[in-house]
Amino acid sequence: MSKIVPDGIVCFFVSYEYLESMVTAWFDQGIIDEIRKRKLVFAETQDVVETSIALDNYQRACLNGRGAILLSVARGKVSEGIDFDHHLGRAVLMFGIPYVYTQSRILKARLEFLSERFQIKENAFLTFDAMRHAAQCVGRAIRGKTDYGIMCFADSVCGVHLCVSFACISSCVCQRQTRLIIFLS
């Protein structure tokens, strides 16, 4: 992807732990070294100051024409309100579906209320909520009618319900048990 996409690429992972495990695997496989030949790589962390510095450096790298990749977390700081319009987000990659942590007392109470009051099943709400957050993440890239970019969803278990949930699918590429769903805008 870094070979063909100009400017900025933003990647969203479902958790900090998953981001770290993927980066470790990519280092071991030499993928990070290949990416760094073409673009700078920055990552969101749980530290707000470090994340702000990484975001600032990412934007500078995109502005000066070098290009960069920002590795971030769905439901994290970067996914909540920062826009990657024009050259800052020519591609957005979503690794996994960002389901919420279900052991929270507040979430359990909300799910119980929805079930009792509106007969909304737990799984239906959790899937809707996860898809809403996924859409929020990838929606950070396309911010106006003159903007363009590519949105890719990669998940090993989502398959069919993703295809049903989004109407604007231009292509589904299946490889082994992983489905890669590509949106062109």
Side-chain angles (χ1 to χ4, degrees), residues 5-174:
V5 175
D7 304 321
I9 299 173
V10 183
C11 302
F12 288 100
F13 296 85
V14 296
S15 68
Y16 290 102
E17 294 81 19
Y18 186 55
L19 184 154
E20 290 173 14
S21 70
M22 291 301 295
V23 169
T24 300
W26 291 346
F27 262 115
D28 294 344
Q29 297 168 11
I31 294 171
I32 294 290
D33 292 332
E34 285 298 313
I35 291 171
R36 289 183 4 199
K37 289 178 184 175
R38 291 171 193 80
K39 295 187 182 297
L40 298 175
V41 179
F42 301 99
E44 174 182 357
T45 67
Q46 293 177 332
D47 183 279
V48 175
V49 175
E50 285 179 7
T51 298
S52 295
I53 292 168
L55 188 56
D56 186 50
N57 288 332
Y58 170 81
Q59 291 171 338
R60 267 194 259 148
C62 292
L63 286 171
N64 72 21
R66 172 75 167 94
I69 295 178
L70 179 63
L71 307 174
S72 55
V73 176
R75 300 179 191 269
K77 179 185 180 206
V78 172
S79 71
E80 302 289 335
I82 297 173
D83 292 338
F84 296 99
D85 54 344
H86 302 293
H87 60 279
L88 295 178
R90 291 297 179 214
V92 179
L93 310 175
M94 185 80 205
F95 292 96
I97 304 301
Y99 284 95
V100 70
Y101 177 66
T102 58
Q103 298 305 310
S104 159
R105 289 186 321 219
I106 295 169
L107 178 62
K108 285 182 178 184
R110 180 180 297 152
L111 292 171
E112 186 178 321
F113 171 78
L114 291 171
S115 176
E116 291 173 2
R117 183 89 183 252
F118 301 105
Q119 291 74 47
I120 296 174
K121 295 181 181 177
E122 180 177 318
N123 192 43
F125 174 79
L126 293 173
T127 299
F128 168 78
D129 182 63
M131 292 301 172
R132 185 175 59 80
H133 275 282
Q136 180 180 358
C137 289
V138 298
R140 300 279 128 219
I142 309 295
R143 303 311 295 174
K145 65 182 181 179
T146 61
D147 207 354
Y148 65 90
I150 185 170
M151 302 169 190
C152 300
F153 290 78
D155 188 77
S156 61
V157 295
C158 65
V160 176
H161 74 270
L162 258 183
C163 292
V164 172
S165 296
F166 293 97
C168 59
I169 295 174
S170 63
S171 172
C172 286
V173 181
C174 300

